[in-house]
Amino acid sequence: MELYMSANSPYARKVRVVTYELGLHEKVTMTETNPRDPSTGFRDVNPLGKIPALVTDSGDVLYDSPVICEYLNDVEGDGHLLSKETRERWRTCTLVALVDGVLDAGMAVRLEKMRPEHARSIAWIDKQIATASRGMDTLEKRVTEWADEVNLGTIGMACAIAWLQFRHSDHDWLSTRPQLRTWYESFNQRDSLQITMPDQTR
C-alpha cells in the first residue's frame, strides 16, 4: 500500500499512528507529498488535492483520514481500534468527528494566517479559535470516558493536541484543562506517537 502524506499533517499523522498500532507500518510506503504543488501529479490520485490518500494493494484510492483509518482497522488490521459493538463504535466515530472538527478549525486559522496580513480576517480567526476551544473543552469534560482506551478517537485526540501546540503555540491549550493534559502526557508516550512526532523545525 502507498500513503500519500506530509510528516506534519495531523490528518496524515493519525493514519501513520494507526499503521503502527495495527502492526501494518512495514506494509505501507509513506510518500511525502506537497498537495499544493500541481506538478506532483497528486491531484490525479485525489482530485480534492488533500492528504492523506491511500492506494490499496488492489489499486483502490481511499480518502480522507477517517475512511483510511477505518479501512486499515477493519480490512487490513485486526479491528481492535474500533469496536464492533454498535453503541461503542458510534461513540468512537463521534469522537473522531469531534477531533477532526477541532483540527479543521485550527487548520482554517493556519491557512488564514498564511494570507497577506492586510487580507486576513481577525473575526474569522477568532471564530475558528473559539470553535477549537469549545471542542477542547468538551474533550476536557469527557476525557475520563476514554482514559484507558486506544482507539481511532483517542489516537485522533493525541494528534490534534500535538498539532495545536505545535502550530498554535500562542494559545494555551492544556494548562486550563488538567484532565486532558494528564491524559495526553501519558498517552503521548506510546511508541506510535513518539515515532510520528511532528518536525518542529518545519
Side-chain angles (χ1 to χ4, degrees):
M1 294 178 283
E2 183 174 12
L3 180 70
Y4 290 87
M5 45 73 71
S6 170
N8 284 346
S9 163
Y11 306 100
R13 188 185 183 204
K14 287 193 303 174
V15 177
R16 293 163 62 213
V17 171
V18 165
T19 67
Y20 279 97
E21 291 290 344
L22 293 172
L24 299 172
H25 53 283
E26 294 184 354
K27 298 180 179 180
V28 181
T29 299
M30 305 291 177
T31 300
E32 184 78 21
T33 305
N34 179 359
R36 297 186 184 91
D37 182 357
S39 69
T40 64
F42 174 64
R43 293 174 188 178
D44 293 331
V45 177
N46 181 356
L48 301 177
K50 298 169 67 175
I51 51 176
L54 179 75
V55 180
T56 70
D57 287 336
S58 61
D60 294 325
V61 181
L62 305 179
Y63 40 83
D64 52 4
S65 60
V67 174
I68 297 171
C69 288
E70 288 193 41
Y71 171 82
L72 291 173
N73 181 73
D74 293 352
V75 179
E76 300 290 345
D78 62 10
H80 78 271
L81 296 179
L82 188 59
S83 175
K84 294 288 192 292
E85 193 276 318
T86 301
R87 183 171 183 271
E88 287 301 306
R89 186 179 185 92
W90 292 116
R91 187 174 71 104
T92 300
C93 288
T94 300
L95 176 58
V96 169
L98 174 61
V99 169
D100 276 354
V102 170
L103 278 176
D104 291 346
M107 191 64 70
V109 173
R110 175 162 169 74
L111 293 175
E112 187 69 13
K113 287 185 175 181
M114 293 171 69
R115 288 158 56 90
E117 188 170 357
H118 71 274
R120 296 175 195 167
S121 169
I122 300 303
W124 175 254
I125 290 173
D126 290 345
K127 177 182 178 180
Q128 299 304 322
I129 289 293
T131 297
S133 296
R134 289 195 304 272
M136 291 288 282
D137 287 343
T138 299
L139 294 177
E140 166 68 12
K141 294 174 185 175
R142 300 185 59 190
V143 67
T144 55
E145 297 179 29
W146 303 290
D148 299 322
E149 299 180 26
V150 179
N151 58 42
L152 298 185
T154 54
I155 288 169
M157 283 170 61
C159 291
I161 292 168
W163 186 82
L164 286 174
Q165 291 185 309
F166 171 40
R167 291 300 190 192
H168 298 296
S169 58
D170 53 329
H171 293 273
D172 189 353
W173 298 103
L174 290 179
S175 71
T176 59
R177 301 177 177 100
Q179 293 189 112
L180 193 58
R181 181 187 64 223
T182 298
W183 172 84
Y184 174 70
E185 289 175 350
S186 175
F187 196 88
N188 195 47
Q189 297 307 308
R190 298 187 68 82
D191 288 345
S192 60
L193 287 156
Q194 292 296 309
I195 291 168
T196 59
M197 195 70 71
D199 181 356
Q200 301 288 333
T201 65
R202 296 175 56 187

